[in-house]
Amino acid sequence: MGMVGTHGGYSPRRFAEGLSLSGLLIVLLILLLAAPAHALESAPVVSKRATVTLVTDTDAVAAGTSFRAALRFRLADGWHTYWKNPGDAGVPPDLAFDLPPGVTTGPIDWPAPNRVAEGPVMTYAYTGTLLLPVTVVPAGPLTLAVHAHWLVCKEICVPEEGDFSLVLPAGTPAPNAQSSLLAAHDRAVPRPSPWEARIAPDGGLFVHGPELRPETVSDAWFIPDAAGAIDDDAAQPLSVRADGFVLSLKLASGFKPADGLSGVLSVLDRTGQRSDLVLHASPGAVPRAEPPLPVVLLFAFLGGLILNLMPCVFPILAIKAIGLASGFARNQARSHALFYTAGVLVTFMALAAALLG
């Protein structure tokens, strides 16, 4: 019985230790398998107003194969930064890349901004989370370095800046965990407008499309690409008709409608869904919506009533009525009435012919 604990080199203590080690290895393996995919993100630049990092959509690069790098902003509540055209005030973010020879970058792919009122002025800005991506074409493995500065505003404006860098080794480019952020950004980038647009000298912006009707369009607003095109803080009254709508813009002094107008058009439908579109309006006349026929007839009736009650008309009608009722023979009265009616009809037919001509 005393040999049970040591038979064949067996030891209960050694068995327990081996079991514990095996369990630990299994737990570590499970944790490694459950860990999220690695994603490159630079060290953050942090302030009370914003946290900013540099991210990419791949963790490895190959020469000649483009990828995207983006400055990622997480703005504190109430704070905002600016679009490429900041509006009446503000400065857009600026990214300066320090790249090795042979590496090229494209322009910032700006998402659609919001109209943000700052006291008496109107600005075009972003709140919450923002990505500002650029397309990079590498010549091989590289260290991606960028110096950026930006302006954040609330009741006051504070300039901020930071240096960011990421080391990208050679390898097969593949989507990483940050790719979903860039996919969400892509959905916020304005798409080309499918609609015809014209800008009139008086600032009327006509957008023509059969699906743009009073039962589908709830609201719309326009943000120009460049400063100096419109009065940014002016209201933009909307008039929706059966085949499109007109936004009444207040053009800035010095702006030439003959050059056309480009920018971002935002349209809100009746379900609250917002569509952002890149719009270029050509110079041209804006058709005015015709009032409905019942409204035309009502105003015609009111106009005739007012004219007939005017001092130069009403007494004459009364005199003629009294004359007809006091002494004219029946044939003479009928003759007077026919000539009076004929005179009225001929006169208005002549006016109608002149207007049509």
Side-chain angles (χ1 to χ4, degrees):
M1 294 292 294
M3 295 178 61
V4 173
T6 59
H7 176 69
Y10 171 78
S11 168
R13 180 179 178 183
R14 190 177 301 167
F15 175 77
E17 290 176 350
L19 184 61
S20 299
L21 182 58
S22 300
L24 180 60
L25 291 174
I26 292 172
V27 171
L28 289 175
L29 181 60
I30 292 173
L31 290 175
L32 288 174
L33 290 174
H38 176 63
L40 288 179
E41 185 167 10
S42 72
V45 172
V46 181
S47 72
K48 295 180 179 179
R49 299 160 292 276
T51 298
V52 186
T53 57
L54 179 66
V55 299
T56 60
D57 63 355
T58 182
D59 293 341
V61 297
T65 302
S66 64
F67 68 95
R68 289 195 293 174
L71 209 62
R72 182 185 184 191
F73 291 81
R74 282 163 284 190
L75 300 166
D77 290 343
W79 292 87
H80 59 267
T81 192
Y82 295 94
W83 190 49
K84 60 181 179 179
N85 171 18
D88 288 331
V91 177
D94 180 70
L95 282 64
F97 285 88
D98 182 12
L99 301 170
V103 181
T104 60
T105 60
I108 295 174
D109 190 17
W110 298 91
N114 296 306
R115 300 175 83 226
V116 177
E118 297 185 44
V121 300
M122 181 65 68
T123 61
Y124 309 132
Y126 305 102
T127 58
T129 300
L130 165 69
L131 257 68
L132 296 181
V134 300
T135 299
V136 183
V137 181
L142 79 153
T143 298
L144 189 65
V146 59
H147 177 78
H149 56 82
W150 57 92
L151 186 69
V152 286
C153 295
K154 193 176 181 181
E155 287 85 4
I156 61 170
C157 289
V158 181
E160 297 186 344
E161 62 180 323
D163 290 291
F164 309 89
S165 65
L166 287 173
V167 177
L168 295 165
T172 302
N176 63 8
Q178 307 292 6
S179 299
S180 60
L181 296 176
L182 286 153
H185 160 84
D186 292 341
R187 292 190 291 272
V189 173
R191 59 183 177 86
S193 170
W195 305 314
E196 175 195 1
R198 296 197 296 271
I199 181 70
D202 64 354
L205 176 64
F206 174 58
V207 183
H208 173 66
E211 63 270 41
L212 302 176
R213 304 184 302 274
E215 58 268 22
T216 60
V217 177
S218 171
D219 198 4
W221 57 93
F222 178 79
I223 297 177
D225 274 341
I230 67 173
D231 187 348
D232 297 303
D233 63 341
Q236 299 183 5
L238 174 67
S239 174
V240 187
R241 44 186 293 173
D243 59 347
F245 60 79
V246 176
L247 273 176
S248 298
L249 307 177
K250 184 177 180 182
L251 299 180
S253 60
F255 175 74
K256 300 177 181 178
D259 296 334
L261 182 66
S262 296
V264 174
L265 174 70
S266 297
V267 181
L268 198 67
D269 67 18
R270 292 292 178 182
T271 67
Q273 183 70 31
R274 170 176 158 179
S275 299
D276 299 305
L277 307 124
V278 177
L279 186 78
H280 178 75
S282 303
V286 172
R288 301 301 176 186
E290 297 181 357
L293 181 60
V295 176
V296 174
L297 294 176
L298 174 63
F299 278 102
F301 174 77
L302 292 175
L305 186 65
I306 292 172
L307 286 173
N308 282 286
L309 292 177
M310 290 178 66
C312 62
V313 175
F314 186 71
I316 296 174
L317 294 176
I319 292 170
K320 175 60 68 175
I322 292 172
L324 289 172
S326 58
F328 280 106
R330 182 179 294 274
N331 290 339
Q332 192 178 12
R334 184 181 294 112
S335 174
H336 277 255
L338 290 174
F339 276 106
Y340 183 86
T341 303
V344 172
L345 293 176
V346 169
T347 300
F348 277 94
M349 288 178 67
L351 288 173
L355 289 173
L356 291 174

